[in-house]
Amino acid sequence: MTVSVETRRSRVTVYAKSTAPSLTPVKPGKTHEFTALDHSMSRHSVHLVCYYRQAPTVTMTALKESLCDVLSYYPAMTGRLVKNEGDGCGEWMVKCNDAGVRMVDARADTTLDEFLATATDEEERQLAYWEDVGSDPYLWSPYCIQFTDFKDGSMAVGISCTHFHADPTCVAVFSRAWSETHRRALVTCPPFFHPWAFYPRKNPVPSSPHLSEKSTIPPPLHPPAMSSVTFAFSASSVRQCLADLQLSNLSPFDALASLLWLRISSYKSASLGTAQLTLAVDCRRRMSAPLPLGFYGNALHFFGVKADLSSGWSHIASELNCHVSGIKEDDVWSSVEWLHERSKEKAFQMYGPELTCLAWDNVPVYNAEFSPGAIPVHVGCRIGNAQGEGLVVIMAGAPGEGEEARTVIVTLPTDLTAQIYRDEAILKYGPKIMFSPNI
Amino acid sequence: MANEPLPPFSSSVRLKYVKLGYQYLVNHILTFILIPIIVGISIELARVGPDEILSLLRFLNDLDLIYVMSTLFLVIIVGTVYFMSRPRPVYLVDYACFRPKPNFRVPFSTFLEHARLVPQFDERTVRFQVKILERSGLGEETCLPPANHYIPPTCSMAAARSEAELVIFSAIDELLNKTGMRPKNIDILIVNCSLFSPTPSLSAMIVNKYKLRSNILSFNLSGMGCSAGLISLDLARDLLQAHGNSNALVVSTEIITPNYYLGKERAMLLPNCLFRMGAAAVLLSNCRRERSRAKYRLTHVVRTHKGADDAAYRCVFQEQDSEGLTGINLSKDLMAIAGDALKSNITTMGPLVLPASEQLLFLFSLIARKVFKAKWKPYIPDFRLAFEHFCIHAGGRAVIDELQKNLQLSDQHVEASRMALHRFGNTSSSSLWYELNYIESKGRMKKGDRVWMIGFGSGFKCNSAVWKCLKTIKTPVDGPWSTSIHRYPVDVPAVVKVL
């Protein structure tokens, strides 16, 4: 935390912890194995927070009941981590022992609108309760669901889980399935458990220069304190960005990612030169045998993009566009096979320590309607343990703001965050600033 | 005793037919005596001829009118006195059990995890609880109230009241729906809940919710243990004798929320592992018009209290442990005392329900052992001749095993108890009703069947009730077993590995 004026006391209070079982008992002996990608992500956690307006069917009791209902489809979520003693590999896997997921009850001393307008980064973090694995992984629930009641009857639902089990897309699809179960509608994307999805090909070509480089970076001795800020860009702001770039067939992601990359780098060092940005892209649909959206597990592909930052914003944007659209399936497979080869070794940090960007705007996140027609007012997503130079998460914005609207969550070392949310170049486009650090 | 040893099969077959023949002879002795008399009279009448009969009738005509009228009045008076002094019949119109929602269920792994995460339990305590759970005979679908799902359990009075409202009101709502009984027509209300006794009582809570009449006779029994359901039935029966044309609502339940033991005393941890959420509401009536739709008639209730014996009095004892935490201490000789109480109970029950054949055998065996000092084993009457169905309180696997052994019952007879224990856990006084519902849901209840309900409770008490079925219950039955009956019976292993 920075040394500054007195920090405001948090308005969020957690008051109870319980466990939700699934409605139907799990058959004894069921297990779920992890892929190489899952193992590689084990150091991180995913936190998704959805905010809902007051509605008669959206109450803590009703949500807890429908949570138990939807958990019947996700036996892997209610299981616990054990070491796979079976075929002697000693890796972690899930024993589906029907233990349930952790639930946390909380209340916020304010109304939803006031919270969205004035809450700090610290307060938003408190809407998704998370406990790291303690001394006994068998007693540790890999998922934690927090229900926060606001003064005006609105509700925030925070789903936290270990990145080992699921990537952000998986969590978003789960929340959608949960909302459909709550409304007693058909579950459109039922979970697809297929640990062999990323099993190496017959003739593996394990190679990932980017990841090999990352694995050799030693973890920083004193990781800096990080804080976040959220920029909510409306469709008109994004269109303005794209207009300013004066290039055709650029996506909102290209525009925003390149803008932020440029601005963050300009604060880090006075002179700009060639720099590298790590990108994480969901590759469920990019495989030639595409995985369904309901695929349970990790399907993020990490790769590096080099660009000369001094050659201007447009150049950077077009470089990003080139790389993202030009992802080859072979590269994905090579990367997976490389990870598979070293899966027995300790996992290294995937998000960071260098500047990383998660391209998540192609995944719909505002479709978890617990009450018919009532989509979330706002959705935020954070990644845990992404210390280092920073992480930028670009996700879809609220549908009410337009199709091109985007929400950008920037996590940087605290002093950089303070500068970035006052940056003129970004503020020029008039994004709404939410959850800024407590300064 | 044959001189040469017979092969075992044919000797047992021979014995079986001897027993059957003996039973038919003794139980229908009156028929056997009457038939020759009837045959004799018919032959005599046939022999005598019509003239003699007519002369007999003319003789009767010559009698004075006064004698005839007096005889007639005497017959009428005796008949009236007899019918008026008979006890009023008590009919069970219908009953309903609380159906726990599956989101309250407690899988073994969750139970173990919570036991480990709650700071008050140490490793030894957790291992003991796991051992109990593994051998308990419970399944993965038993339910605990919402307060017990928190870490640590939130055992407040408000939570206990809300559990009471949840279980009791949903059972009574279902019962009123099924029977179409209007709450204003309920004359007697008896509630039994052993471990939770707020002020105002749970019966007052029911009167308030359903707006019962101001002159209702309401009773609330607390502290009477798991056999309190049968005590309530006995009380209802006595009240229905005193008040004619009345309806009685009996509610049996046990509220778990305030009684979670958070200490280290091993003898007090058993209730944590075995007790689960449940309630039953029963509608009794002595109105003649309910006879046509009533399911059962209460024929006998026998209550036995062994509290005079110190060991029996202390065997289920609620007290504070060395750290000041309150829990229910179950002593090691619980099974022996239960067996003893059962013997007392069946000694009283036997003459009321057993057929004459069994009673004679028991009498002969008793005389031989006491008077002639023969070294025979005490004869255990075969209760399977007296009852078609048995509902044994699902106190735990040990209780059911002990009773099965003592009464020499087959596995099918105790199936209802074992399966109710597996599906619902030990729901205390309401477990008998879940078991009865199991038998009905399986389509085994036919008109004329007799059911024996046995309950055990702290004190130490052993109570029995005998019901006679008035109409065959057709399947499918809408009750707590509706969603799961097709999966039962299951084979419950002796030890279920939790870890």
Side-chain angles (χ1 to χ4, degrees):
Chain A
M1 286 303 275
T2 68
V3 177
S4 65
V5 284
E6 76 219 61
T7 51
R8 195 174 49 197
R9 270 192 55 197
S10 173
R11 294 168 284 185
V12 178
T13 333
V14 167
Y15 60 84
K17 209 198 303 184
S18 58
T19 306
S22 61
L23 277 195
T24 45
V26 175
K27 257 207 184 103
K30 209 172 159 79
T31 56
H32 171 76
E33 280 169 20
F34 291 123
T35 63
L37 278 180
D38 293 330
H39 280 286
S40 67
M41 304 303 295
S42 55
R43 289 182 62 155
H44 299 283
S45 53
V46 181
H47 309 273
L48 190 78
V49 182
C50 303
Y51 301 81
Y52 293 91
R53 290 239 175 262
Q54 198 268 341
T57 54
V58 182
T59 57
M60 221 190 265
T61 331
L63 285 175
K64 285 185 181 180
E65 275 182 39
S66 56
L67 174 64
C68 295
D69 206 345
V70 75
L71 285 176
S72 311
Y73 299 108
Y74 288 85
M77 279 178 69
T78 53
R80 295 290 179 264
L81 287 176
V82 291
K83 287 260 170 140
N84 188 352
E85 311 292 347
D87 51 353
C89 57
E91 284 175 9
W92 289 108
M93 71 170 192
V94 178
K95 178 172 168 189
C96 302
N97 65 351
D98 205 15
V101 303
R102 212 62 81 218
M103 287 193 300
V104 163
D105 301 349
R107 70 175 79 87
D109 236 350
T110 174
T111 63
L112 177 63
D113 291 315
E114 206 189 303
F115 187 84
L116 290 174
T118 60
T120 61
D121 162 46
E122 194 51 50
E123 282 175 323
E124 210 218 357
R125 235 185 268 273
Q126 289 175 342
L127 291 182
Y129 185 85
W130 180 242
E131 275 175 354
D132 263 326
V133 56
S135 50
D136 193 349
Y138 197 65
L139 301 178
W140 176 69
S141 169
Y143 277 81
C144 187
I145 317 243
Q146 177 171 336
F147 301 91
T148 312
D149 271 323
F150 288 91
K151 258 181 157 155
D152 58 346
S154 310
M155 166 98 55
V157 176
I159 307 173
S160 307
C161 74
T162 166
H163 220 301
F164 214 150
H165 266 257
D167 59 5
T169 311
C170 185
V171 177
V173 169
F174 166 72
S175 76
R176 180 170 161 200
W178 179 8
S179 66
E180 283 160 349
T181 313
H182 188 83
R183 289 195 320 263
R184 297 245 161 278
L186 189 65
V187 173
T188 41
C189 284
F192 180 63
F193 296 100
H194 192 60
W196 310 276
F198 289 109
Y199 213 66
R201 295 171 290 188
K202 245 196 284 198
N203 305 310
V205 183
S207 126
S208 176
H210 180 72
L211 288 177
S212 348
E213 201 192 308
K214 270 171 77 76
S215 65
T216 53
I217 302 173
L221 278 170
H222 302 289
M226 311 288 279
S227 60
S228 317
V229 64
T230 304
F231 295 107
F233 287 92
S234 65
S236 51
S237 327
V238 174
R239 278 197 290 270
Q240 184 64 41
C241 283
L242 288 168
D244 284 350
L245 278 168
Q246 290 164 345
L247 283 173
S248 56
N249 65 11
L250 282 181
S251 68
F253 167 75
D254 301 323
L256 293 172
S258 50
L259 175 66
L260 278 154
W261 187 8
L262 189 58
R263 298 314 303 155
I264 292 170
S265 307
S266 66
Y267 283 109
K268 275 200 316 219
S269 61
S271 63
L272 294 170
T274 322
Q276 178 163 289
L277 176 72
T278 304
L279 281 183
V281 176
D282 183 299
C283 59
R284 278 175 173 77
R285 292 292 166 163
R286 289 171 186 264
M287 316 291 273
S288 56
L291 289 168
L293 200 59
F295 170 72
Y296 185 86
N298 283 282
L300 285 175
H301 175 56
F302 285 79
F303 60 101
V305 175
K306 277 197 172 66
D308 183 8
L309 294 179
S310 55
S311 37
W313 183 18
S314 316
H315 172 79
I316 304 170
S318 58
E319 279 290 317
L320 276 177
N321 183 314
C322 208
H323 277 88
V324 170
S325 47
I327 295 175
K328 289 203 284 289
E329 199 189 330
D330 278 331
D331 292 334
V332 178
W333 277 114
S334 301
S335 170
V336 168
E337 280 146 14
W338 184 87
L339 283 168
H340 188 83
E341 258 191 359
R342 71 174 306 283
S343 58
K344 296 232 187 357
E345 296 169 51
K346 213 160 159 252
F348 54 86
Q349 192 178 344
M350 292 294 264
Y351 293 96
E354 72 283 1
L355 187 64
T356 312
C357 180
L358 172 62
W360 202 41
D361 57 336
N362 53 338
V363 174
V365 292
Y366 280 83
N367 47 17
E369 286 175 33
F370 282 98
S371 182
I375 55 167
V377 171
H378 179 76
V379 177
C381 172
R382 289 164 187 271
I383 304 291
N385 260 348
Q387 281 110 334
E389 291 186 23
L391 171 67
V392 175
V393 176
I394 299 183
M395 54 190 282
E401 305 282 327
E403 206 205 295
E404 293 105 335
R406 294 291 183 270
T407 307
V408 179
I409 302 153
V410 181
T411 309
L412 296 168
T414 317
D415 41 358
L416 262 181
T417 319
Q419 294 172 300
I420 205 76
Y421 84 89
R422 294 193 182 103
D423 183 49
E424 292 298 328
I426 300 176
L427 291 177
K428 189 171 106 179
Y429 298 100
K432 190 165 134 205
I433 299 182
M434 299 166 79
F435 309 123
S436 52
N438 201 353
I439 298 172
Chain B
M1 251 51 109
N3 281 331
E4 52 165 4
L6 287 163
F9 173 70
S10 62
S11 75
S12 73
V13 165
R14 214 173 267 199
L15 197 61
K16 184 175 128 185
Y17 283 120
V18 164
K19 273 200 88 158
L20 264 177
Y22 161 73
Q23 279 162 9
Y24 271 121
L25 176 67
V26 174
N27 293 336
H28 300 104
I29 193 82
L30 281 175
T31 324
F32 284 126
I33 291 174
L34 270 175
I35 288 179
I37 294 176
I38 291 171
V39 165
I41 292 179
S42 332
I43 293 174
E44 187 65 29
L45 277 175
R47 196 171 54 82
V48 159
D51 302 324
E52 281 263 351
I53 298 169
L54 281 170
S55 70
L56 196 63
L57 284 172
R58 270 201 296 274
F59 169 69
L60 280 173
N61 262 339
D62 291 338
L63 278 178
D64 271 335
L65 190 63
I66 191 95
Y67 289 127
V68 176
M69 294 297 278
S70 314
T71 320
L72 202 62
F73 281 138
L74 187 66
V75 168
I76 289 173
I77 288 169
V78 167
T80 312
V81 167
Y82 170 69
F83 279 113
M84 293 304 276
S85 67
R86 271 195 344 170
R88 290 188 222 262
V90 174
Y91 301 116
L92 190 157
V93 179
D94 210 341
Y95 66 96
C97 299
F98 167 67
R99 302 188 211 197
K101 277 203 232 163
N103 58 307
F104 292 137
R105 77 182 182 93
V106 181
F108 283 14
S109 48
T110 316
F111 186 89
L112 167 63
E113 201 171 279
H114 279 220
R116 286 238 161 95
L117 289 173
V118 161
Q120 288 93 328
F121 289 141
D122 59 7
E123 184 56 34
R124 215 172 129 256
T125 317
V126 172
R127 266 188 286 126
F128 179 73
Q129 291 191 70
V130 170
K131 212 172 73 155
I132 298 292
L133 204 57
E134 285 175 346
R135 288 161 180 74
S136 60
L138 264 66
E140 298 275 351
E141 292 180 80
T142 61
C143 297
L144 277 176
N148 287 59
H149 290 265
Y150 284 92
I151 306 167
T154 56
C155 306
S156 64
M157 182 150 208
R161 275 195 206 265
S162 78
E163 182 198 341
E165 287 174 6
L166 172 69
V167 302
I168 294 176
F169 293 165
S170 77
I172 298 181
D173 284 340
E174 200 185 316
L175 179 66
L176 295 179
N177 256 341
K178 268 205 232 181
T179 54
M181 173 68 59
R182 285 178 35 230
K184 292 265 182 275
N185 292 342
I186 296 174
D187 308 287
I188 301 164
L189 170 66
I190 305 174
V191 178
N192 72 271
C193 170
S194 186
L195 296 167
F196 178 55
S197 185
T199 300
S201 62
L202 295 174
S203 59
M205 184 178 84
I206 297 172
V207 171
N208 172 262
K209 162 87 175 177
Y210 292 96
K211 312 284 178 250
L212 302 181
R213 293 198 321 256
S214 56
N215 63 344
I216 190 156
L217 298 170
S218 71
F219 299 85
N220 193 83
L221 302 174
S222 76
M224 300 194 87
C226 300
S227 62
L230 295 170
I231 298 176
S232 309
L233 280 178
D234 190 36
L235 180 60
R237 183 185 64 156
D238 288 343
L239 286 167
L240 288 171
Q241 303 306 316
H243 303 268
N245 260 334
S246 305
N247 298 310
L249 175 64
V250 175
V251 178
S252 297
T253 182
E254 191 56 73
I255 303 300
I256 317 267
T257 305
N259 302 304
Y260 195 76
Y261 175 65
L262 283 169
K264 300 190 176 55
E265 186 64 44
R266 281 153 61 130
M268 296 186 178
L269 286 167
L270 273 116
N272 281 5
C273 305
L274 300 177
F275 275 82
R276 297 290 184 263
M277 223 173 29
V282 181
L283 184 65
L284 300 171
S285 177
N286 58 9
C287 305
R288 292 255 171 241
R289 65 170 178 278
E290 300 287 2
R291 165 85 178 76
S292 53
R293 65 169 178 156
K295 277 180 164 178
Y296 300 92
R297 185 166 61 83
L298 183 61
T299 50
H300 302 103
V301 177
V302 174
R303 292 166 56 176
T304 314
H305 203 309
K306 301 299 268 178
D309 174 47
D310 283 340
Y313 170 65
R314 290 205 72 95
C315 86
V316 178
F317 208 79
Q318 187 183 34
E319 59 190 357
Q320 284 178 305
D321 66 5
S322 50
E323 292 170 348
L325 297 161
T326 313
I328 300 161
N329 198 324
L330 299 170
S331 86
K332 286 198 173 36
D333 45 356
L334 179 63
M335 283 301 116
I337 291 169
D340 205 35
L342 177 71
K343 280 202 186 60
S344 281
N345 192 286
I346 65 181
T347 309
T348 320
M349 173 69 86
L352 295 172
V353 295
L354 286 170
S357 55
E358 291 298 310
Q359 300 203 35
L360 268 179
L361 276 178
F362 183 73
L363 188 66
F364 289 151
S365 155
L366 194 68
I367 292 173
R369 276 184 304 116
K370 298 285 189 240
V371 175
F372 299 113
K373 307 278 188 237
K375 291 271 186 293
W376 288 357
K377 273 185 25 211
Y379 178 72
I380 300 172
D382 191 359
F383 280 90
R384 290 171 293 178
L385 293 172
F387 303 106
E388 278 73 39
H389 307 289
F390 296 80
C391 292
I392 301 167
H393 168 56
R397 184 192 233 136
V399 170
I400 303 174
D401 288 343
E402 180 75 17
L403 256 81
Q404 187 178 9
K405 200 175 62 149
N406 276 348
L407 298 173
Q408 294 169 347
L409 300 175
S410 71
D411 282 339
Q412 227 220 5
H413 286 123
V414 294
E415 184 186 304
S417 310
R418 286 200 201 280
M419 296 306 118
L421 180 66
H422 184 267
R423 173 67 179 84
F424 295 101
N426 178 352
T427 55
S428 186
S429 38
S430 49
S431 63
L432 298 167
W433 299 103
Y434 286 98
E435 293 169 26
L436 188 64
N437 201 269
Y438 178 84
I439 300 171
E440 292 183 0
S441 303
K442 278 286 184 193
R444 295 179 190 161
M445 192 61 76
K446 308 270 183 299
K447 178 170 170 171
D449 280 357
R450 292 153 300 175
V451 184
W452 187 15
M453 284 190 171
I454 313 173
F456 291 98
S458 59
F460 195 81
K461 300 188 271 290
C462 176
N463 300 328
S464 309
V466 179
W467 300 91
K468 191 170 167 79
C469 180
L470 298 175
K471 54 179 186 177
T472 303
I473 315 278
K474 291 201 229 344
T475 52
V477 169
D478 187 29
W481 290 94
S482 309
T483 50
S484 43
I485 193 70
H486 53 277
R487 284 186 268 122
Y488 282 88
V490 292
D491 180 37
V492 185
V495 178
V496 177
K497 254 347 229 165
V498 176
L499 291 169

